[in-house]
Amino acid sequence: LLTSEALDHAKISLSQLTGIAVTNRPGLVGALLVGVNFAKALAYATNTPCVSVNHLEGHLASAWLANPHLSTPAMVLIASGGHTHLALVPNRGEYQFIGWTMDDAAGEAFDKGAKMLGLPYPGGPAIDKLAEHANFQCVSFPRPNIHRQNFNFSFSGLKTALRYFLRDEQEKRDSPLPVADVAASYQEAIVDVLVEKLCRAARQYDVKAISVVGGGAANSRLSRRLEERARALGL
């Protein structure tokens, strides 16, 4: 069904395919096995070449789909459901990871935080929409690893801080919790870390441009903050 929808959207038929690309790493083994086996079967049935793709490389390549003239060297933040990585891209097609997720990725922090707040899945868009006009200074959540000189990320402690905050507030409050303000404060903590690490890496490696890719790139607060910092840094 998904393949049929994709072909319909692209307005092509199966016989017009000249190649099939399939993600084979990194990710959950079960999901990868399903995708790889389906792609191999489709390639065999249609006599079409099949190539494997590292999906993080796919995220990096998408920076140039959005902006074909993006300058290099560039510093690219991959912010997806399962990964938060920083990649130095000296030239298109070349990359070196300089920072990565130590535990929970930013996308996972959004999803699990949203669940604690009673918001729907996926959590990132739900929090982003709710927080749009809310007070992001309502709660002072921690910014994990923000002052450490490395470029690694850790969001498990932030999730724990949200859980304890909700538990304590619900025990002592007689009025409803300001969910929008809490969501905005939680989002701001995640965004602060992403922006600071990306921009610090950009300065340290003296790049010409910054970019954010993956599902997290759709977060409106992250986009606005990065645009402001990019202008200030001349990137």
Side-chain angles (χ1 to χ4, degrees):
L1 178 60
L2 183 60
T3 301
S4 297
E5 288 182 3
L7 291 170
D8 289 343
H9 183 73
K11 295 181 173 56
I12 62 172
S13 66
L14 208 57
S15 62
Q16 292 176 281
L17 293 182
T18 56
I20 295 171
V22 58
T23 293
N24 71 339
R25 67 196 188 280
L28 299 174
V29 173
L32 294 174
L33 282 172
V34 170
V36 168
N37 284 325
F38 176 79
K40 287 165 67 176
L42 187 63
Y44 180 79
T46 58
N47 194 29
T48 304
C50 182
V51 296
S52 59
V53 175
N54 180 315
H55 99 260
L56 297 184
E57 291 182 355
H59 279 313
L60 290 173
S62 73
W64 281 268
L65 288 176
N67 183 0
H69 304 294
L70 184 70
S71 300
T72 55
M75 190 64 65
V76 183
L77 169 67
I78 300 176
S80 65
H83 300 87
T84 305
H85 284 47
L86 270 176
L88 173 64
V89 183
N91 297 290
R92 288 180 61 173
E94 302 174 13
Y95 66 94
Q96 174 190 352
F97 287 123
I98 64 166
W100 43 81
T101 311
M102 302 300 292
D103 41 56
D104 292 341
E108 187 177 358
F110 273 123
D111 289 339
K112 292 184 177 177
K115 184 175 182 180
M116 285 186 266
L117 291 166
L119 302 176
Y121 180 88
I127 288 179
D128 192 17
K129 183 177 181 180
L130 187 64
E132 187 174 1
H133 302 294
N135 178 14
F136 62 83
Q137 297 177 318
C138 175
V139 185
S140 180
F141 286 115
R143 271 64 170 164
N145 280 356
I146 195 168
H147 296 300
R148 293 189 178 180
Q149 292 308 303
N150 63 43
F151 298 113
N152 295 333
F153 299 91
S154 170
F155 292 104
S156 61
L158 178 59
K159 287 190 323 182
T160 303
L162 174 62
R163 179 176 296 279
Y164 286 156
F165 172 81
L166 293 175
R167 181 198 64 186
D168 295 344
E169 284 296 304
Q170 287 164 354
E171 287 178 356
K172 67 183 183 184
R173 292 179 69 94
D174 295 325
S175 57
L177 195 68
V179 176
D181 292 343
V182 176
S185 300
Y186 182 74
Q187 174 178 261
E188 195 71 6
I190 297 173
V191 169
D192 274 350
V193 174
L194 297 178
V195 170
E196 177 60 27
K197 292 269 187 177
L198 173 55
C199 292
R200 190 191 304 158
R203 293 195 303 269
Q204 181 169 317
Y205 286 86
D206 194 26
V207 300
K208 296 179 180 179
I210 58 174
S211 181
V212 56
V213 298
N219 183 275
S220 63
R221 181 64 177 166
L222 178 60
S223 296
R224 286 196 300 272
R225 292 280 307 280
L226 282 176
E227 285 171 3
E228 292 168 1
R229 287 292 295 275
R231 283 196 297 268
L233 294 170
L235 297 170

